[in-house]
Amino acid sequence: MKIKIKRYNKEKNEQTTIEEYSVNHNETILNSLIEVKTKYDNSLGFRCGCKSGVCGSCAIRVNGVEKLACKTHLEDEDLIEPIKNTEVLKDLIVSLHHEESLLKIGHTFLNSNSLETITKEDEKKIDRQSNCILCQSCYSSCPVYEVNKEFLGPYTLTRALRYVNDKKESAPLEILKNIQTNGIWDCTLCGYCTIACPQFIDPKSDIMSLRMKSVQNGFEDKSLSAFNSSFDLGFNNDFGFNPNGF
């Protein structure tokens, strides 16, 4: 069985190449990568931690689709690439620095602790969003983040909803305030992030929920204002109503 791996080394400023190897272990792609590293080239770079789909460190793309190497079976001649939209350091290892900085910009963490009593029902409300394993697959699949690196992105916005709904957070409006620019209104709601998430988190629905909460709390509905500005009402400044204005 053949495996094709996209190779690159930033330190050596090498050209990107596609290398092909024969492997016997295809139970998971991670097993195949380990076989390549031990049998052919110990300089092959990739991350792995728990090997059971919990840590998210082995996120890659398989034939252009985001997957976890430890949870994906290798098919013959699969092309293995690093996740997209972030700097490649070596082979399948990418920098996570910028995505971490977006969490700080969005203040998507516990900013101010309340004295509320937390019940089991309260915990259930934030359970799904708390299951994120930080694999960054959602950023890799996001077409908005691909062209705008200031966009807070699906992971940060899902975390925003997690803390807005957390009764331990006493200042949820501050979080909503921080995600109005380059945040919830910039998302196209394409849903690619939802498809890419190995934890079955639904960032698209989370962003729609954040939009609703924002409007309920007095923030401008920028999707509506954008629609109004682009909508030709059919009136002409010189001659009044233009029946062909639509």
Side-chain angles (χ1 to χ4, degrees):
M1 183 166 288
K2 303 288 186 183
I3 181 173
K4 294 186 285 189
I5 306 173
K6 192 171 186 177
R7 307 286 307 265
Y8 171 73
N9 189 334
K10 180 188 174 186
E11 284 189 356
K12 296 183 178 179
N13 196 27
E14 295 175 337
Q15 291 286 324
T16 299
T17 60
I18 304 292
E19 303 291 340
E20 187 173 288
Y21 306 91
S22 295
V23 293
N24 297 317
H25 297 287
N26 67 330
E27 302 86 0
T28 67
I29 289 175
L30 181 57
N31 285 342
S32 303
L33 294 175
I34 292 171
E35 182 180 352
V36 171
K37 190 176 181 70
T38 54
K39 186 185 293 184
Y40 300 105
D41 186 352
N42 63 10
S43 71
L44 175 65
F46 59 90
R47 287 194 177 106
C48 69
C50 68
K51 301 179 181 177
S52 57
V54 176
C55 73
S57 63
C58 64
I60 52 170
R61 284 187 301 144
V62 182
N63 303 323
V65 179
E66 288 74 17
K67 300 283 185 182
L68 294 182
C70 69
K71 301 291 286 184
T72 307
H73 183 78
L74 178 73
E75 301 292 341
D76 193 28
E77 298 197 352
D78 274 348
L79 173 61
I80 313 302
E81 301 173 273
I83 55 175
K84 280 197 310 180
N85 302 334
T86 189
E87 183 184 23
V88 177
L89 301 177
K90 184 180 181 185
D91 300 331
L92 304 177
I93 300 174
V94 299
S95 169
L96 304 178
H97 176 75
H98 183 67
E99 288 77 8
E100 291 172 358
S101 71
L102 294 175
L103 296 179
K104 296 177 182 176
I105 294 172
H107 288 253
T108 51
F109 40 76
L110 193 63
N111 293 274
S112 179
N113 203 355
S114 75
L115 299 177
E116 290 272 359
T117 300
I118 308 300
T119 67
K120 289 292 181 185
E121 288 301 314
D122 295 328
E123 292 177 357
K124 287 181 181 177
K125 291 179 182 176
I126 60 173
D127 185 55
R128 188 175 62 171
Q129 289 76 21
S130 299
N131 287 334
C132 175
I133 57 176
L134 315 181
C135 67
Q136 312 285 353
S137 293
C138 55
Y139 280 101
S140 176
S141 67
C142 178
V144 178
Y145 188 64
E146 185 172 11
V147 297
N148 177 17
K149 290 297 184 287
E150 302 305 314
F151 177 49
L152 293 174
Y155 163 49
T156 298
L157 295 174
T158 280
R159 276 180 62 98
L161 182 64
R162 182 241 181 272
Y163 285 103
V164 165
N165 286 339
D166 191 341
K167 287 178 68 176
K168 294 195 294 293
E169 173 58 63
S170 65
L173 286 180
E174 282 301 306
I175 298 176
L176 289 177
K177 179 182 175 182
N178 288 325
I179 60 174
Q180 301 301 307
T181 301
N182 282 320
I184 53 176
W185 306 109
D186 295 81
C187 174
T188 62
L189 303 179
C190 68
Y192 289 158
C193 52
T194 298
I195 296 171
C197 181
Q199 291 296 92
F200 305 107
I201 297 171
D202 187 354
K204 175 184 174 181
S205 294
D206 293 343
I207 292 168
M208 292 172 68
S209 180
L210 286 167
R211 287 184 177 187
M212 181 182 67
K213 288 177 181 291
S214 294
V215 173
Q216 289 172 341
N217 284 281
F219 292 96
E220 179 187 6
D221 185 339
K222 294 184 180 178
S223 64
L224 191 59
S225 59
F227 174 76
N228 285 338
S229 65
S230 62
F231 185 69
D232 185 348
L233 294 174
F235 286 90
N236 177 309
N237 289 336
D238 297 326
F239 303 105
F241 178 70
N242 174 6
N244 298 317
F246 292 98

